Amino acid sequence: MSSDDVDRDPGTVTDQRLQQGQAMGEAMDLVDAGVTGDLELQAPSVRDNPIRAALGVAVVLLGLAAVVGFDLVRAVPSGTFVVTLVSISALSLGALALVRRLFTTIRTAETADVEDRESVTVPGTDFDAAVADAIHGVGGARFSAQQTVVDSLREATVSAYGRAEGLSESEAHERVADGTWTDDPVAGGFFAGTQTVSAVTDSVRSRLGRSSGLERRVDRVLVELAALTPGLSVDDLAGEPADDRPARRRTPDPSRRQVDRRTRRWTGVTGLGLLCVGFGLWAGYTAVPPSLVVAAAVAVGAAGYVYLSSPPPVSLAVERDLSPADPAPGESVTVTVTVTNESDDFLPDLRLVDGVPAAVRVVDGSPRFATALRGGESVRFSYTVEAVRGDHPFEPVHVVARDFSGALERERHVAADSGVALACALDLAADESVPVHPQTARRVGRVVTDTGGSGLELHSVREYRRGDPMNRIDWNRVATTGEFATLRFREEHAATVVVLVDARDEAYVAPRIDAKSAVDHAVEAADVLVASLVGAGDSVGLAALSPEWCWLEPRGGAGQAARARHCLETHPAFDGRRPAGAFHGETQERRLRRELPGDAQLVLCSPLCDDAAVAIARQLHARGFPVTVVSPDVTAHASTGQRLAAVERAIRLSDLRRSGVRVVDWDTDQPVEAAIDAARRRWSA
Amino acid sequence: MVGVSVVRRPARDSVWIAVAPGAVAVLGLAVDLVALAVAFVGLAVVWAATDRSSRLGVTAGSGAMFAALCYAGIRGASPALLLVVTAGTVVTWTTAQHVVGLADHLGRDAPVRRSVLVHASGASITTLLAGALTLGVYRSVTASFPPSVLVFLLVGSALLLYALEP
C-alpha cells in the first residue's frame, strides 16, 4: 500500500482526524483550565552569588570558632585588621544591597479594570497621547510625536477651512501652511512654525497639572476650527472639568496565566542588617553597641523569615449569586461572590478580583476583595452591576495569593462552580414615528409619495378613462360641465428600511471609560427604530458594520420585530465586546449592496468617530440606497484631543449633509426619539 | 446610573494602620532629639508616599527612619528600646509596601482592612521574636563569650542571606 493509498483510506483519515481532534480538545481543556502560563518559582541557590556566599560562610566560621574559644580578634596579632575588613565589607555590601533595591522592580500580578466595560476608549485619546509624548518624550520619539500632533491638526484644519471657503484641497493647504487662513496670529502661526515654546517649561507646567504651551496653541486652533465648522460653536468646546479616570482601561490577560513568582519586595533588607553592624563596628571598634546588634538581628531575622516561608497552596471554590436573576435592561443586579478555602492551609494574603463580564459595568461597591482565609473558611463580598441586553457569562475570579511576608505570590484564575450568566432581554419602546426617505416599495404603506393613485391627499385630476373606479369620479364636475374626470390621490406606499448598526472596533467609544459605548447607544436606537418602523407598516431589516457578518432580511409584521430583537440580543456582532477580527469596509459594503433590495433605504447608527463610517454611508447613498444617519454624540471636551475629536466629528456630519445624507445628531443625554423629532422639524422647515 | 471606576490608591484607614507601628518607633526615639527629628521626617515621607502609592517614597522614608535608629544606637540607646524601634520601622515599611500593593491590585474601594491587619500582625510577631531572641542570646553570650561571636555570626548570616537573594 503506497502512502497515497494510506492518505486516501477513509478509516485512517478518520483516525488521524480523531487524534487531531483529541489533541485539540486536550489543548482547549488546558486553555479552559487556564494552565497556559509558566510556573517559575525556583529555590534560591548559593551558586547564584558564590563570592558573597563564600564570604558569608567564612565569617560564620569565624563566629563559630570564637564560640569554641578561638577568638580571632584577640588570638591573631592582626585580628583588628580582620574586624576592620569585616566592617568595611558589611558597610559596602549593605550600601550595595540598598542601591540594588532602588533599581529593583517589584514583580506582581496586574489586575484588570473589570469595573468598566471592556475596551471602550474616549475619542481623542491617541491625540492626547501624542501631545503627552511631544511634551515629555525624548529624542526621536518626541519629534515624531510633535509631527503627529501637527499633521492631525493640519488635516482637520485643511478639511474645515477648505469646505468653509469653497477652496480646493491644495489651495486650502497653502493658506494653512502660510498662516493666512485665520486672523488669530497664534492659530495661524501654528502650522507656519513661527512660534516656539520652551520644551522644559511645557514639561514642568504639564507635570504641575497646568495646561502646556503646546496644548494652549492647539486649543487656539480648535477655537478657529469650531468657528469654521457648521453645527459647532466655540461654547461647545468649553473645557469640562478634567476626569481623573484613565482614558483606556487595563484589560484582563486573555491567556489567564497561572504564575508563581518571587515579588522581590524584600530585596535589600539584609543590607540594613549589614549596615547596622558595619556602623557599630566602625563606631565602637570591636565592641559593637548591643542595641545595634539587636537592630541588625531584627532586619536579618525578617529577611531570613522570607526564605523560610513557603508559598501557600491555592485551592478555592467560588460561588456566585445574582439578585434579581432575571433583570430588565438598566436594572441594578447585586452580585454576591462566596469564596471558600478548600485546603487545610491558612491563606494569609488573598486578593480577589471577580470576573465581571466584559460588556457589563459596575455601578456600586467593588468587585475586589482582600482578606486572610483559614482552611475551610468562607468569605463573601458583593457589588452591583447594571444589567445590559444579551447573555453575559462571568469570567473566572482572578486570584492573587501571597505568603505571610509577601515575598512569594501565586496568580490563579478560578472559575465558579456553576456557570452563572447575567441574562437580560431588551425592553422595547416602539411608538416613534421614524422619518424615512421618499423611496418606497410597491406596497401600501404610510409614506405619502408623489405618485397619483388611491390614497387620502388630493394629487391631481385627469380625464376619465375606462375602468376608473366609480368612487374616484369627480361628480361635481360631471354635474356642472357634464364631463367625466377622475380624482387622483397621492399614493401611500410602504418603505423598505434596513437599520445598519456600526459595531466596528472604532465604534467602541464613549465620553468616559465608565460610560455606555456608542455601540450600546446604537443598538438601543436600532431597537427603537426597528420596532417603530415595523409598527408603521414598513419592511425592516437589520445589519451590522462589523467583522461578524449580520444580516436580517427586510420583512414586515410583528414577527420581524421579534426576529430583530432576538438578533440584537444574541448576535455576536452586538455582544458588547470589541470585535477581534479585521473589518474590510469595501468588501462589506459590496456584500451589503448585494443583499439589499433595490428599493431599500438605510438608517445607519454610528458615532462617526472615524472616516470609514462616513465613506460607507456616502458610498451607499451614492449607489441609490438613501441613507439616514442617527449618530450618538459620544465625544467629550475635557482634553485637547477630545476637543479635536469633537471638531472632526462635526466636520464629518457636515460632509454627510452636503452629500444629501440626512443626519440626526443625537445627544445621548436625551432619548433618541427626542433627537429624531428635532431632526424631523428641521428637515420639514 | 454612574459607573464605578477603580482608583488605584490606598484607602485612608489602610495608610493609618501602616504608619501606626512607625509612630511607636518615632516615639521610642525620643531619647535622642536628632534621631527623633529624622525619624519623624522619615515617617511623614512614608505616610505621604503610601497615600500616593509610591513604593520608592515608602523605601526612602523607611530608610531615613532606619538611619535615625542607627544613630540612636551609636549614641547608646538601650537594646530593648531599639528592638521595639527597629521592629516598628520594619513593620511600617513592609505594611506600607503591602498597602501600596493592595492599592495597585484592588484600588481604594475594596475591603482590605483584615488583610492589612493580618500582615502587620505577622510582621510584628516575626520581627519582635527575632529581636528578642537576639537580645536574650546577646545577654547570655556576653557573660561567657567575647562579643565578636555574635557579630561574626550576624554578619555571616546576613552575607549568606544577601547571597541567596533572588
Side-chain angles (χ1 to χ4, degrees), chain A residues 525-606:
Chain A
D527 180 27
V528 172
L529 291 169
V530 169
S532 303
L533 289 164
V534 165
D538 293 325
S539 278
V540 188
L542 186 68
L545 288 182
S546 163
E548 293 279 349
W549 173 250
C550 169
W551 170 251
L552 183 66
E553 201 175 336
R555 285 188 199 169
Q560 182 69 351
R563 278 189 289 276
R565 184 185 310 172
H566 183 255
C567 184
L568 288 169
E569 283 172 356
T570 58
H571 196 280
F574 307 123
D575 67 1
R577 291 171 187 241
R578 207 162 195 156
F583 175 77
H584 302 288
E586 280 186 26
T587 314
Q588 190 153 77
E589 187 244 316
R590 273 202 300 273
R591 187 171 178 187
L592 194 60
R593 273 195 281 118
R594 278 202 301 274
E595 300 283 359
L596 285 171
D599 56 4
Q601 52 181 297
L602 290 148
V603 179
L604 169 64
C605 303
S606 169

Side-chain angles (χ1 to χ4, degrees), chain A residues 101 103-107 261-268 406-408, chain B residues 166:
Chain A
R101 165 77 200 188
F103 294 99
T104 299
T105 310
I106 301 291
R107 297 194 306 174
R261 58 169 75 85
R262 291 187 182 280
T263 58
R264 298 179 180 167
R265 71 188 290 271
W266 287 87
T267 299
L408 307 166

Side-chain angles (χ1 to χ4, degrees), chain A residues 296-616:
Chain A
V298 170
V300 174
Y305 170 71
V306 171
Y307 294 104
L308 290 176
S309 58
S310 58
V314 179
S315 176
L316 298 172
V318 175
E319 274 182 50
R320 207 180 271 112
D321 285 318
L322 304 185
S323 172
D326 187 20
E331 194 177 346
S332 295
V333 178
T334 304
V335 182
T336 306
V337 184
T338 309
V339 178
T340 308
N341 181 5
E342 292 196 315
S343 73
D344 295 331
D345 297 279
F346 177 52
L347 291 171
D349 181 2
L350 184 65
R351 303 165 185 201
L352 307 161
V353 181
D354 196 19
V356 183
V360 173
R361 65 176 179 160
V362 177
V363 291
D364 193 22
S366 174
R368 299 158 189 267
F369 197 77
T371 189
L373 213 55
R374 286 191 296 273
E377 193 185 4
S378 292
V379 72
R380 183 175 292 176
F381 64 97
S382 57
Y383 58 95
T384 309
V385 298
E386 183 185 30
V388 290
R389 70 191 189 288
D391 290 340
H392 304 282
F394 279 77
E395 302 287 331
V397 178
H398 188 186
V399 177
V400 180
R402 290 179 167 189
D403 69 331
F404 241 121
S405 66
L408 307 166
E409 178 178 290
R410 288 191 195 275
E411 186 180 356
R412 297 287 183 271
H413 296 267
V414 182
D417 294 341
S418 56
V420 175
L422 181 65
C424 183
L426 278 170
D427 184 20
L428 287 186
D431 54 355
E432 178 60 11
S433 169
V434 181
V436 291
H437 284 271
Q439 177 160 309
T440 56
R442 289 270 143 215
R443 288 179 291 104
V444 175
R446 49 96 190 205
V447 182
V448 180
T449 66
D450 286 335
T451 311
S454 60
L456 292 172
E457 190 183 335
L458 185 65
H459 175 261
S460 58
V461 181
R462 68 160 164 75
E463 213 172 82
Y464 173 75
R465 289 179 199 157
R466 253 179 105 82
D468 281 348
M470 293 279 281
N471 62 357
R472 285 183 34 206
I473 293 172
D474 186 356
W475 293 109
N476 289 334
R477 181 180 284 208
V478 174
T480 52
T481 64
E483 290 175 5
F484 280 80
T486 303
L487 294 172
R488 301 177 73 207
F489 298 90
R490 288 180 187 273
E491 287 190 351
E492 291 170 358
H493 289 178
T496 302
V497 185
V498 172
V499 178
L500 186 57
V501 177
D502 185 355
R504 294 168 305 135
D505 186 39
E506 291 79 359
Y508 280 84
V509 283
R512 297 183 319 273
I513 60 164
D514 61 338
K516 278 184 181 178
S517 76
V519 178
D520 289 324
H521 288 300
V523 167
E524 283 175 16
D527 180 27
V528 172
L529 291 169
V530 169
S532 303
L533 289 164
V534 165
D538 293 325
S539 278
V540 188
L542 186 68
L545 288 182
S546 163
E548 293 279 349
W549 173 250
C550 169
W551 170 251
L552 183 66
E553 201 175 336
R555 285 188 199 169
Q560 182 69 351
R563 278 189 289 276
R565 184 185 310 172
H566 183 255
C567 184
L568 288 169
E569 283 172 356
T570 58
H571 196 280
F574 307 123
D575 67 1
R577 291 171 187 241
R578 207 162 195 156
F583 175 77
H584 302 288
E586 280 186 26
T587 314
Q588 190 153 77
E589 187 244 316
R590 273 202 300 273
R591 187 171 178 187
L592 194 60
R593 273 195 281 118
R594 278 202 301 274
E595 300 283 359
L596 285 171
D599 56 4
Q601 52 181 297
L602 290 148
V603 179
L604 169 64
C605 303
S606 169
L608 299 179
C609 282
D610 68 323
D611 292 331
V614 177
I616 291 170

Side-chain angles (χ1 to χ4, degrees), chain A residues 138-155:
Chain A
V138 284
R142 179 190 167 91
F143 178 75
S144 164
Q146 285 173 341
Q147 207 57 45
T148 306
V149 169
V150 172
D151 289 348
S152 305
L153 208 53
R154 182 187 290 121
E155 194 180 328

Side-chain angles (χ1 to χ4, degrees), chain B:
Chain B
M1 224 174 319
V2 180
V4 173
S5 282
V6 60
V7 180
R8 294 181 191 270
R9 285 177 64 169
R12 198 48 69 87
D13 58 344
S14 302
V15 179
W16 285 120
I17 296 172
V19 297
V24 174
V26 171
L27 288 177
L29 288 175
V31 291
D32 189 290
L33 272 182
V34 176
L36 178 72
V38 173
F40 184 78
V41 171
L43 185 65
V45 171
V46 171
W47 183 85
T50 312
D51 194 48
R52 285 162 180 73
S53 277
S54 163
R55 286 185 188 276
L56 189 66
V58 168
T59 303
S62 307
M65 290 175 73
F66 203 82
L69 77 87
C70 280
Y71 180 76
I74 292 170
R75 300 269 296 187
S78 79
L81 180 70
L82 222 57
L83 161 63
V84 175
V85 170
T86 314
T89 304
V90 173
V91 172
T92 274
W93 172 77
T94 182
T95 311
Q97 292 276 349
H98 182 76
V99 166
V100 171
L102 279 172
D104 182 47
H105 282 155
L106 308 179
R108 191 169 54 190
D109 301 318
V112 298
R113 190 179 296 175
R114 188 178 178 193
S115 171
V116 176
L117 285 173
V118 166
H119 184 88
S121 312
S124 303
I125 292 167
T126 311
T127 47
L128 285 173
L129 215 61
L133 200 70
T134 315
L135 189 62
V137 171
Y138 193 88
R139 286 198 169 147
S140 64
V141 161
T142 44
S144 51
F145 297 115
S148 53
V149 169
L150 202 62
V151 171
F152 281 139
L153 287 176
L154 197 58
V155 172
S157 316
L159 282 170
L160 272 174
L161 284 172
Y162 183 46
L164 287 173
E165 270 186 3

